């Protein structure tokens, strides 16, 4: 068993970036100027499974679109830290950790781009990224999913953790 598989056994909280992790990084614009993003339903299903299994799921993103907030509401993700400049992601993350007295050695953070590095570089956090994350992020992550952002990377990492803990079930 690899070191990362051992680390999967201790995870209790997933924290995800949005653009490039839960989406493919595309932001589509309507003529009205409204932005919309596309989420993979398999990623969404895995988030629901994680919540049902008692895991915490947090979102830390500089994106602040109302449609994104509504989607997480449908999924029953309540720990949303969205909006603000990308260089403030660490502050949002640390606020979450402090507010809920989280143990960083029990957190898996998945990011894909340079603004995520301040969190991914924290010594106790298990850093993960999609296959199409920028090279600098891939170099510092303990786990690189074989799946791309918005194309099953979140499903992959949640499934890996739940399987490592004996909490992934194919029954409905």
């Amino acid at each position: 068993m690899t070191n990362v598989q051992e680390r999967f056994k201790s995870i209790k909280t997933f924290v995800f970036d949005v653009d490039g992790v839960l989406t493919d990084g595309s932001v589509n614009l309507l003529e009205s100027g409204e932005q919309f993003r596309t989420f993979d339903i398999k990623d969404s299903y895995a988030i629901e499974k994680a919540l049902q299994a008692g895991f915490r799921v947090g979102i830390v993103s500089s994106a602040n679109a109302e449609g994104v907030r509504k989607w997480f509401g449908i999924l029953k993700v309540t720990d949303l830290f969205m909006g603000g400049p990308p260089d403030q992601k660490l502050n949002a993350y640390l606020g979450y950790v402090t507010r809920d007295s989280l143990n960083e050695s029990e957190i898996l953070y998945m990011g894909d781009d340079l603004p995520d590095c301040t969190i991914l570089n924290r010594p106790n956090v298990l850093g993960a990224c999609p296959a199409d994350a920028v090279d600098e992020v891939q170099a510092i992550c303990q786990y690189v999913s074989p799946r791309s952002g918005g194309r099953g990377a979140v499903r992959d990492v949640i499934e890996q953790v739940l399987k490592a803990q004996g909490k992934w079930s194919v029954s409905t």
Side-chain angles (χ1 to χ4, degrees):
M1 182 170 290
T2 66
N3 186 38
V4 73
Q5 289 170 323
E6 273 303 311
R7 289 285 315 274
F8 285 159
K9 291 181 179 180
S10 66
I11 297 304
K12 294 182 179 176
T13 302
F14 295 99
V15 181
F16 299 109
D17 178 31
V18 174
D19 293 323
V21 173
L22 282 154
T23 75
D24 67 5
S26 298
V27 177
N28 301 287
L29 294 175
L30 301 175
E31 284 186 29
S32 66
E34 183 181 357
Q35 301 176 5
F36 71 93
R37 292 160 173 85
T38 302
F39 293 88
D40 186 313
I41 199 68
K42 291 180 182 90
D43 288 342
S44 301
Y45 176 75
I47 289 172
E48 290 176 329
K49 291 280 283 185
L51 290 168
Q52 289 167 0
F55 290 83
R56 297 181 72 103
V57 176
I59 303 298
V60 174
S61 176
S62 56
N64 196 23
E66 188 57 32
V68 173
R69 286 183 179 279
K70 286 180 181 177
W71 182 245
F72 289 123
I74 291 168
L75 296 178
K76 298 186 175 37
V77 174
T78 58
D79 295 328
L80 302 176
F81 305 90
M82 298 173 58
D87 64 347
Q88 294 299 310
K89 282 180 128 176
L90 178 61
N91 290 339
Y93 166 81
L94 291 174
Y96 179 38
V97 168
T98 301
R99 183 194 79 182
D100 293 1
S101 301
L102 301 176
N103 180 340
E104 285 192 283
S105 66
E106 299 172 343
I107 296 174
L108 182 146
Y109 180 85
M110 183 175 257
D112 71 303
D113 208 345
L114 298 179
D116 299 303
C117 288
T118 57
I119 300 170
L120 291 167
N121 272 322
R122 295 195 54 83
N124 295 320
V125 171
L126 176 55
C129 67
D132 58 344
V134 298
D135 292 341
E136 295 88 344
V137 167
Q138 289 190 34
I140 62 174
C141 284
Q142 292 83 30
Y143 181 75
V144 178
S145 173
R147 308 289 304 206
S148 295
R151 300 284 182 254
V154 168
R155 163 70 177 254
D156 170 58
V157 77
I158 290 174
E159 190 172 329
Q160 295 289 331
V161 169
L162 270 64
K163 282 181 176 178
Q165 296 184 21
K167 296 178 180 177
W168 184 263
S169 171
V170 294
S171 62
T172 55

